[in-house]
Amino acid sequence: MESQRRPILFVSYPESGLMNPLLVLAQELSRRGVPDLYFATDEKGRSEVEALKADTPVEFASLGGTVSEMSAVTWDDETYREVTQRSRFKAHKAVIKHSFAPQARVEKYRRLADIVDEVKPALMVVESMCQYGYEVAITKNIPFVLGVPFLPSNVLTSHVPFAKQYTQRHFPVPHSGLPLDMNVFQRVANQLFKFGTLGLYMTSEMKKVVEQDTQIRKDLGISPKARGMMARIDEAEMVLCYSVPELDYSFPVPEKLNLVGTMVPPLPQAPDDEGLSDWLSQHDSVVYMGFGTITRLTRTQVAALVEVARRIGDGHQVLWKLPKEQQELLPSQEELPENLRIVSWVPSQLDVLAHPSVKLFFTHAGGNGFHEGLHFGKPLVVRPLWVDCDDQAVRGRDFGVSLTLDRPETFDPDDVVDKLTRVLGDRRFRERAEHFSQLLQSAGGRSAAADLLLSLPALAKD
């Protein structure tokens, strides 16, 4: 009987933007009655994994506590300011500086290796940012699928010159926020972004970190094949990307890359939403503001957004998901406009975006939020936060589904109101968003991803 087991092990960081698509896929397999499902992540993700069971169980495998270097939500305010500054290269440099910490992944690698030895997975499904996940899979010769919650070019384009990449050489570097059609200054900036990243690794400080990484790889016995960012692509059995080709700039798509659209569970995801859906149904036009789990607003920014809600109050309600700890920055209840509803959490952002009363999504344009908004045909106004957000923002603008704030660091009310009213008032934004909604939904989402996964040779029965 042992030879008939085909365990599937999901591996992810616990950040919601990275883990959520894999949770949807794992639950879809459970719903289909697939046995021997396991999900390895940090202890903070235990409750979400244990809630997945639809038919067959999804066993939680703990990778221990969260390591600060691997979790942006734990970074101190100074680090947050560095990684979200408006200089895209300086922000990119700060992210590398704070997240490239070889020692931080040692315990995670060992814990995952022990889990693999116990579970003996026939296949691993690894979130694309989870380095120790694909390192274990490659080292132990376990077939793995890479899950990508970003635009496909994000993982197929190199950050440094002369390195292998799957896109064209002139392609915009990830995190640069540059368009495909560049003027001469942008082309220079694109090349400088790559050479600047290379130069970062040549500093004396970073050389020491690279040397430490090399020694750790040797001590852990990590296969040389796992080195380099393209190893996760080259060695994967399959790459699942939760997007569609039309939402990225054109490039030759590798055969192993499958674009399956947005990963959305069956809706409503949270039928008991404490009256939120009833409130939405009472209004003809609602702007939904949600900036992800990482965004930290200042008192000035909060005041600016309150003023934005006041100014667009004629015919539009505003639903604002603002974390409880940031609500102390709000003015007094008496000073809030009547058209503004503030919640610390929504039971399901997907249920909100799916509601017909929601006409626009004001977002930071992270990989999941960008695709989720368009999945339900909602045009966007974008306040890009960091890393991939600028890349999604520029593509949204170029493809006619969004406008980006001119001054995202301040939430200038004049700028925000201008962008909101233009998107709300121009039907072309809605029509383009609905066009991409059709493409994303036709791609198949969780159902297509599960079909592809189950068709792999690693899961074939003897």
Side-chain angles (χ1 to χ4, degrees):
M1 291 298 294
E2 186 67 24
S3 64
Q4 295 298 310
R5 292 184 68 246
R6 295 291 184 272
I8 302 173
L9 175 63
F10 292 84
V11 187
S12 176
Y13 284 165
E15 307 298 322
S16 58
L18 303 175
M19 186 169 70
N20 283 353
L22 290 192
L23 293 173
V24 172
L25 180 53
Q27 189 171 52
E28 175 66 15
L29 296 180
S30 171
R31 191 175 293 109
R32 296 187 182 196
V34 177
D36 295 316
L37 300 174
Y38 298 83
F39 203 117
T41 189
D42 290 2
E43 190 63 34
K44 65 179 287 189
R46 177 183 288 274
S47 60
E48 292 176 272
V49 172
E50 291 180 342
L52 288 179
K53 180 180 178 181
D55 187 353
T56 50
V58 182
E59 301 292 343
F60 176 72
S62 179
L63 294 175
T66 298
V67 177
S68 177
E69 291 89 341
M70 298 179 184
S71 177
V73 296
T74 68
W75 290 346
D76 59 35
D77 289 341
E78 181 180 354
T79 301
Y80 174 81
R81 286 190 293 270
E82 287 182 1
V83 301
T84 60
Q85 62 184 295
R86 278 296 86 202
S87 167
R88 291 164 188 159
F89 179 73
K90 289 181 179 178
H92 167 72
K93 178 179 176 181
V95 170
I96 293 174
K97 172 186 171 185
H98 292 290
S99 61
F100 183 33
Q103 188 62 44
R105 77 177 193 277
V106 170
E107 185 60 27
K108 300 295 182 187
Y109 183 96
R110 288 174 173 157
R111 280 179 176 262
L112 182 59
D114 289 343
I115 291 168
V116 165
D117 289 342
E118 180 180 349
V119 171
K120 297 180 173 55
L123 182 75
M124 292 173 64
V125 185
V126 182
E127 193 284 311
S128 61
M129 295 299 293
C130 191
Q131 182 179 350
Y132 55 80
Y134 62 80
E135 286 177 337
V136 168
I138 293 171
T139 300
K140 291 182 173 288
N141 293 312
I142 299 170
F144 73 97
V145 170
L146 195 74
V148 180
F150 314 110
L151 296 167
S153 62
N154 183 283
V155 296
L156 298 177
T157 307
S158 174
H159 282 100
V160 297
F162 318 123
K164 176 180 180 178
Q165 65 181 50
Y166 287 84
T167 56
Q168 304 92 321
R169 284 293 153 192
H170 65 274
F171 206 88
V173 185
H175 308 169
S176 68
L178 290 168
L180 182 65
D181 296 326
M182 304 180 202
N183 59 37
V184 62
F185 299 106
Q186 290 171 324
R187 288 197 295 271
V188 170
N190 197 46
Q191 290 303 310
L192 289 177
F193 203 100
K194 283 195 169 188
F195 279 97
T197 304
L198 178 64
L200 172 63
Y201 284 96
M202 299 178 70
T203 63
S204 57
E205 178 184 2
M206 195 58 75
K207 281 183 177 179
K208 292 179 181 177
V209 181
V210 172
E211 290 172 0
Q212 182 189 39
D213 181 63
T214 300
Q215 186 60 49
I216 284 173
R217 289 173 175 276
K218 181 179 178 181
D219 294 343
L220 292 175
I222 297 175
S223 169
K225 292 190 298 182
R227 187 151 204 152
M229 290 306 292
M230 288 304 153
R232 56 184 174 170
I233 305 296
D234 296 340
E235 301 298 326
E237 291 285 302
M238 177 191 296
V239 179
L240 287 177
C241 182
Y242 320 128
S243 186
V244 289
E246 295 84 355
L247 273 175
D248 205 347
Y249 299 132
S250 180
F251 61 89
V253 177
E255 185 177 351
K256 68 170 61 177
L257 176 64
N258 292 271
L259 293 113
V260 297
T262 325
M263 298 294 281
V264 176
L267 299 184
Q269 190 177 26
D272 183 13
D273 61 4
E274 299 179 354
L276 182 58
S277 59
D278 292 338
W279 179 86
L280 290 170
S281 297
Q282 292 168 12
H283 304 287
D284 294 328
S285 177
V286 177
V287 173
Y288 173 51
M289 297 198 309
F291 304 111
T293 56
I294 295 174
T295 299
R296 305 176 193 177
L297 300 177
T298 65
R299 187 176 299 277
T300 301
Q301 292 169 337
V302 167
L305 289 172
V306 170
E307 177 62 20
V308 166
R310 191 187 319 279
R311 292 194 196 179
I312 67 166
D314 186 16
H316 303 292
Q317 298 290 315
V318 177
L319 175 64
W320 185 5
K321 185 180 73 172
L322 181 65
K324 190 171 184 179
E325 61 272 16
Q326 295 183 41
Q327 291 186 22
E328 1 178 282
L329 304 176
L330 288 163
S332 66
Q333 186 67 35
E334 294 74 21
E335 297 177 78
L336 299 179
E338 292 184 359
N339 68 318
L340 175 61
R341 175 167 178 165
I342 298 172
V343 294
S344 59
W345 191 248
V346 292
S348 169
Q349 177 166 283
L350 297 171
D351 289 346
V352 170
L353 291 171
H355 199 284
S357 294
V358 174
K359 306 301 183 187
L360 183 150
F361 185 19
F362 188 9
T363 173
H364 68 304
N368 283 340
F370 178 78
H371 287 93
E372 289 168 359
L374 294 178
H375 180 90
F376 295 107
K378 313 301 182 183
L380 316 172
V381 168
V382 174
R383 187 257 184 172
L385 180 65
W386 69 328
V387 290
D388 64 304
C389 300
D390 285 298
D391 300 331
Q392 270 101 225
V394 72
R395 285 157 177 78
R397 181 202 68 191
D398 286 355
F399 299 146
V401 298
S402 67
L403 290 176
T404 303
L405 299 186
D406 294 332
R407 294 175 288 280
E409 66 281 1
T410 62
F411 282 110
D412 175 65
D414 292 336
D415 180 28
V416 178
V417 171
D418 172 62
K419 300 301 189 300
L420 292 175
T421 53
R422 284 166 60 187
V423 173
L424 286 166
D426 190 337
R427 61 180 176 80
R428 290 175 294 181
F429 287 102
R430 183 180 66 255
E431 290 171 352
R432 290 296 291 165
E434 290 173 347
H435 166 72
F436 284 107
S437 173
Q438 293 176 0
L439 294 175
L440 286 162
Q441 294 191 36
S442 297
R446 69 179 191 277
S447 179
D451 289 344
L452 287 165
L453 208 66
L454 296 173
S455 71
L456 288 172
L459 300 180
K461 299 296 184 183
D462 291 340

